[in-house]
Amino acid sequence: LSAAYAAKQFTDCLVSVPAGGYRFPAHRVILAGTEDGHFFDAAFRWPGQSESKPIVSMPDGLSKEAADMLLKLRYGSYEVQADRILEARHFAAVLDWPTIRQTCEDRLEVLLAQGQGLDAESLLAVVSHAEESLDMPPHLKIGALLLHF
């Protein structure tokens, strides 16, 4: 799957990122998995039109880099960029992709345990994100607080 995404082969839809007007070719069957929520399922029922492929707009506020990382994770990658991890985790929750959200949380937990790759500003962002997000596991917030102080 990762190879098909990287080569942009056999794609049957476009994922649009409002900021900057970026579009990523993708596969409907990958985006609208049966174990997930209904964001993409609903989007494919009422897609934006193009010449040949439906266009699904991602929620506002999602960067091109985080969108690309989310799509790669959806296609089976385990690579999570530390500088985009909170954004990706947030939008994985918005898109109702629980497996991707868990992958981001697992990677964040590793970063917090190692104390590497997160500066003071990033640690405060974790704490702030945890306070705003009701579904952020408490141990991640505690880990960020312990490393910060």
Side-chain angles (χ1 to χ4, degrees):
L1 294 176
S2 294
Y5 177 72
K8 298 173 181 24
Q9 295 177 317
F10 313 114
T11 60
D12 60 359
C13 67
L14 295 169
V15 174
S16 174
V17 177
Y22 298 103
R23 291 186 176 168
F24 298 93
H27 303 85
R28 285 187 249 190
V29 68
I30 300 298
L31 299 176
T34 57
E35 77 280 359
D36 300 316
H38 302 287
F39 181 89
F40 284 98
D41 185 48
F44 289 130
R45 292 177 196 267
W46 300 282
Q49 298 302 314
S50 72
E51 295 99 38
S52 61
K53 297 180 181 182
I55 300 171
V56 177
S57 289
M58 296 295 257
D60 286 334
L62 179 63
S63 69
K64 172 190 172 194
E65 296 80 10
D68 186 46
M69 184 175 71
L70 282 169
L71 289 171
K72 287 177 180 174
L73 288 168
R74 188 68 180 178
Y75 277 84
S77 171
Y78 290 100
E79 186 177 329
V80 178
Q81 300 165 347
D83 61 337
R84 297 287 177 189
I85 196 166
L86 293 176
E87 180 183 3
R89 187 218 169 269
H90 170 73
F91 281 100
V94 168
L95 298 172
D96 202 10
W97 283 349
T99 305
I100 304 303
R101 189 187 80 218
Q102 186 63 52
T103 299
C104 292
E105 290 173 2
D106 292 346
R107 179 68 177 129
L108 183 56
E109 188 170 6
V110 168
L111 289 172
L112 290 171
Q114 293 174 345
Q116 300 172 348
L118 295 172
D119 56 17
E121 186 177 323
S122 298
L123 293 170
L124 287 175
V126 172
V127 172
S128 175
H129 181 76
E131 289 174 352
E132 294 172 6
S133 176
L134 298 176
D135 64 345
M136 175 70 99
H139 71 279
L140 294 179
K141 180 180 176 181
I142 292 167
L145 283 170
L146 289 173
L147 282 175
H148 181 65
F149 298 105

